[in-house]
Amino acid sequence: ATLFSSTLIANLDPTHVYTEGCNTNYEGDIKGKGQSLKIFNIGRPTPFDYTVGATITYQRLRPSGLELHIDQDVGWAIAEDDLEAMLQSPSTFEELAQNGAWTLVDGSDQFLAFLMAREAAVTTTAAQVGNGANDDKAYDVIERMITDIKEASGVFPRDMHAFVPFWYMEMLRLDQRVTGF
């Protein structure tokens, strides 16, 4: 006799690295393909030397904006016949919805990984990263990249993320400056 389990096997889904490192502040504002979303910002005022009693010239700050054009649309669909629905003792709808959502985010993650690699502003020269005597240490390479970004842009961005492969993360964990607290 064949027994049927009422529990589904959960998928072992990896984490979506790139989407986790992105700004999702405007996610709910975007409804679908063909729309545009304009995001405004206001510049910073220019400081000036002030003398008591002097006439002040007021600066008018106008908002500027970035317009995002939604030009891609992705979806998923499944079909189930009546016999399949009757034979299932566990409800599969929630699992199917989670798997469908995961698949969409996975596509976004791959797309972001491609864009970030293509648009990277700073690249490093070829280096032998490792823990040998003549190797560049993984931590040192990241520190040099931060310095390069700061010098190239004149800005030290907050909440920076470094997306590195697993082997590189291992090199970071082996460095006492990262783990030796």
Side-chain angles (χ1 to χ4, degrees):
T2 301
L3 301 175
F4 292 92
S5 173
S6 62
T7 306
L8 297 171
I9 296 174
N11 290 324
L12 298 175
D13 299 325
T15 301
H16 294 112
V17 175
Y18 297 93
T19 52
E20 291 297 319
C22 289
N23 178 343
T24 57
N25 292 351
Y26 308 100
E27 197 169 48
D29 296 335
I30 299 169
K31 303 298 182 203
K33 186 176 180 179
Q35 288 189 324
S36 292
L37 176 67
K38 192 158 191 173
I39 304 168
F40 291 99
N41 71 331
I42 296 185
R44 297 175 193 249
T46 305
F48 58 89
D49 293 331
Y50 176 70
T51 305
V52 177
T55 303
I56 296 175
T57 303
Y58 293 92
Q59 183 179 3
R60 181 171 295 281
L61 297 175
R62 298 281 185 198
S64 62
L66 167 70
E67 191 164 357
L68 304 176
H69 299 284
I70 313 309
D71 61 355
Q72 297 182 30
D73 209 359
V74 179
W76 60 272
I78 58 166
E80 178 179 76
D81 64 30
D82 293 336
L83 179 60
E84 287 173 318
M86 288 188 314
L87 292 175
Q88 293 177 2
S89 59
S91 172
T92 60
F93 180 77
E94 185 177 330
E95 185 73 21
L96 290 170
Q98 287 176 352
N99 288 342
W102 187 91
T103 301
L104 293 176
V105 176
D106 192 47
S108 297
D109 207 54
Q110 292 174 25
F111 179 72
L112 287 169
F114 169 76
L115 284 180
M116 287 181 187
R118 189 184 77 192
E119 299 296 325
V122 176
T123 58
T124 58
T125 58
Q128 178 67 34
V129 176
N131 290 318
N134 295 324
D135 295 342
D136 285 331
K137 306 295 185 239
Y139 183 82
D140 295 335
V141 172
I142 289 179
E143 286 297 325
R144 279 197 308 271
M145 289 177 69
I146 291 169
T147 301
D148 290 347
I149 290 168
K150 185 177 178 182
E151 288 176 357
S153 67
V155 175
F156 190 80
R158 291 179 290 176
D159 300 327
M160 291 179 66
H161 299 283
F163 298 98
V164 298
F166 290 114
W167 67 266
Y168 198 94
M169 190 65 200
E170 180 182 357
M171 294 291 108
L172 289 170
R173 285 194 305 265
L174 291 172
D175 192 318
Q176 289 296 310
R177 292 172 291 180
V178 177
T179 59
F181 289 90

